[in-house]
Amino acid sequence: MTLSSAPPATEAAPAVPREPSGARRRRPSPARRFAARLTPADRDVLWLYVLTRAGLWVTEYCARWIFPADTDSHRPVSVLAPWQQWDWAYYLHIARDGYFPSGGPGPGEQGWDNRDAFFPGFPMVLRAVHTVIRDWTAAGLTISFVAGAVAVLALGRIAGRDLPGADAGRHTVRLFLLSPCAVFLAAGYTEALFLALALPAWLAARRAAWGQAAVLTCLACAVRVSGLFLAAALAVQFLASVRRPRDLRALPWLALPALPPLLYSAYLKGRTGDWMAWKDAEERGWARDFHSPWTAWHHTWTAAFGHTQSTGYAAMFQAELLAMLAGVGVLVYLLWRHRWAEAVYIALSLWALGTSYWYMSIPRAALLWWPLWTSLCAATTVRPRLRTAYFAVAGPLATVVALAFFTGRWAG
């Protein structure tokens, strides 16, 4: 038996279909391109975000049925009514009617609602979204839902960059989303939109992308005055990153965030004759005139424990005191770790909130302190019992605050 020298027969390769001449390959949709850029950690964060949003809507449903304003009512209020609380009215009126509607009172006059205390960023976005989503409340909730998703993605990436461990981002976001005042991230308020701009700005600054960081901080300044505190933190971070003279070329970018407050002040000057009309409105409406830090502490302590307020407001002032102590603790920790830029951001926030007649909205403002959440993640990772204690306390408090918000029985 001889072996043939001829090569063995092989199957013919299948023909590859060719695209017709002139045909173009279909590009993936923006949604598919965005999904392709998400890491597994990002997807975990977004899944946690969606679950907590669902939990808030379950709480809202229960509040409508169990805690009606009229105890004899046989029908709950509309599904969006519980979200129309407190500051939402200001944003709605500004977006719908403007800052100075004709035929009504003006700043300082009887009946004026001090709406000029609120910066125009969120109302402008609300008015734009309303052109597509015709219900104002639904438009506001949509803004916060989308912005909140961006914010938690950025927070998770900040934590993943700064902290060891593969789960650092997810754990930080979990602490953040289950915090006592997390309901304000879902409501038609400014917190989610501000964070959706501020946290990516901080990420850009950490990459030394100063142009991008400045533009995002500029937009954040149009949403909340807290953007100026972020701008100061960016300036410190920039100075700490300068290594050679050519690094200073990006310095002019740091002036950009001052533009929105200047433009808004100029607008108010043209309408009221006062460059600081927004600050005067805060003083008239919320007693945010300057007092020494110890005087503000004393007034808040008296309101919390001196039996001068109703029990609901007294509990609110007790929460203000605890939030101030938490902020001071974070500031001390940041200074100890030489994290100067983040320390500047927290210090300016505490100074602005801690020098009014009394403390107001500090627990809400704590949502904007990303160093708080990354520091808490670091502490609870090392001490698992501390993590258990946090969720054991924060979970019930978050439910109580959400119910108080949905029923309108506690000020935001």
Side-chain angles (χ1 to χ4, degrees):
M1 183 177 181
T2 61
L3 297 176
S4 172
S5 60
T10 59
E11 295 183 2
V16 178
R18 295 183 178 180
E19 294 183 355
S21 60
R24 296 182 179 179
R25 181 179 299 176
R26 294 184 60 184
R27 294 183 177 181
S29 66
R32 288 182 177 273
R33 291 200 300 269
F34 173 75
R37 296 177 62 182
L38 296 177
T39 66
D42 292 335
R43 294 187 177 92
D44 287 343
V45 163
L46 287 178
W47 178 239
L48 180 61
Y49 178 72
V50 171
L51 288 179
T52 54
R53 301 312 88 185
L56 282 172
W57 278 96
V58 170
T59 306
E60 188 259 12
Y61 177 87
C62 294
R64 289 169 52 225
W65 285 90
I66 301 175
F67 304 106
D70 180 4
T71 56
D72 294 328
S73 176
H74 290 211
R75 293 180 180 273
V77 296
S78 67
V79 68
L80 296 179
W83 297 98
Q84 300 165 354
Q85 305 290 350
W86 307 105
D87 287 0
W88 164 250
Y90 295 100
Y91 303 126
L92 171 63
H93 294 160
I94 295 169
R96 187 183 60 194
D97 308 321
Y99 278 101
F100 304 100
S102 59
E109 297 178 358
Q110 184 69 27
W112 178 245
D113 61 1
N114 298 304
R115 66 181 66 183
D116 43 336
F118 297 86
F119 275 37
F122 184 84
M124 291 175 65
V125 176
L126 177 60
R127 189 175 182 89
V129 174
H130 178 254
T131 61
V132 178
I133 302 175
R134 300 305 299 172
D135 184 274
W136 287 103
T137 306
L141 294 176
T142 301
I143 294 169
S144 291
F145 180 78
V146 175
V150 175
V152 296
L153 280 174
L155 179 61
R157 291 182 178 183
I158 290 172
R161 181 188 182 100
D162 293 347
L163 301 175
D167 291 337
R170 181 174 57 186
H171 181 37
T172 301
V173 170
R174 185 187 299 116
L175 295 167
F176 173 68
L177 290 177
L178 297 178
S179 61
C181 286
V183 65
F184 296 105
L185 293 168
Y189 279 40
T190 59
E191 278 78 4
L193 181 59
F194 177 82
L195 287 172
L197 298 166
L199 296 183
W202 182 249
L203 273 174
R206 295 296 303 276
R207 299 193 309 269
W210 298 111
Q212 181 182 352
V215 170
L216 290 169
T217 304
C218 177
L219 296 174
C221 286
V223 177
R224 292 178 68 102
V225 70
S226 307
L228 293 175
F229 310 152
L230 175 63
L234 257 61
V236 175
Q237 181 71 13
F238 173 80
L239 293 175
S241 68
V242 172
R243 296 291 181 270
R244 44 189 184 268
R246 67 179 183 180
D247 293 339
L248 294 172
R249 296 175 183 174
L251 184 61
W253 281 110
L254 300 182
L256 184 62
L259 186 60
L262 285 175
L263 291 176
Y264 183 50
S265 295
Y267 166 75
L268 295 178
K269 174 66 166 61
R271 297 300 302 263
T272 68
D274 183 5
W275 283 95
M276 298 297 292
W278 63 270
K279 185 67 173 62
D280 294 339
E282 287 192 340
E283 293 179 3
R284 288 192 304 266
W286 296 272
R288 292 194 182 276
D289 50 337
F290 179 79
H291 289 77
S292 64
W294 47 90
T295 301
W297 174 274
H298 172 72
H299 289 162
T300 310
W301 183 273
T302 302
F305 300 107
H307 307 293
T308 60
Q309 304 288 329
S310 64
T311 56
Y313 278 96
M316 182 190 74
F317 283 114
Q318 292 170 23
E320 300 285 345
L321 293 169
L322 287 174
M324 173 59 74
L325 291 175
V328 172
V330 172
L331 176 60
V332 171
Y333 173 77
L334 295 173
L335 293 173
W336 176 58
R337 297 300 301 268
H338 298 173
R339 291 163 60 176
W340 308 119
E342 293 165 298
V344 165
Y345 177 74
I346 298 296
L348 291 175
S349 300
L350 292 176
W351 181 261
L353 295 166
T355 54
S356 300
Y357 178 82
W358 49 25
Y359 301 161
M360 188 171 293
S361 299
I362 299 180
R364 276 177 55 193
L367 292 170
L368 312 181
W369 302 344
W370 76 88
L372 166 63
W373 307 111
T374 56
S375 301
L376 190 59
C377 175
T380 55
T381 300
V382 176
R383 300 174 180 84
R385 290 186 178 180
L386 181 60
R387 179 191 311 179
T388 303
Y390 173 84
F391 288 122
V393 174
L397 284 178
T399 303
V400 169
V401 174
L403 287 173
F405 176 81
F406 290 136
T407 58
R409 296 179 184 179
W410 190 22

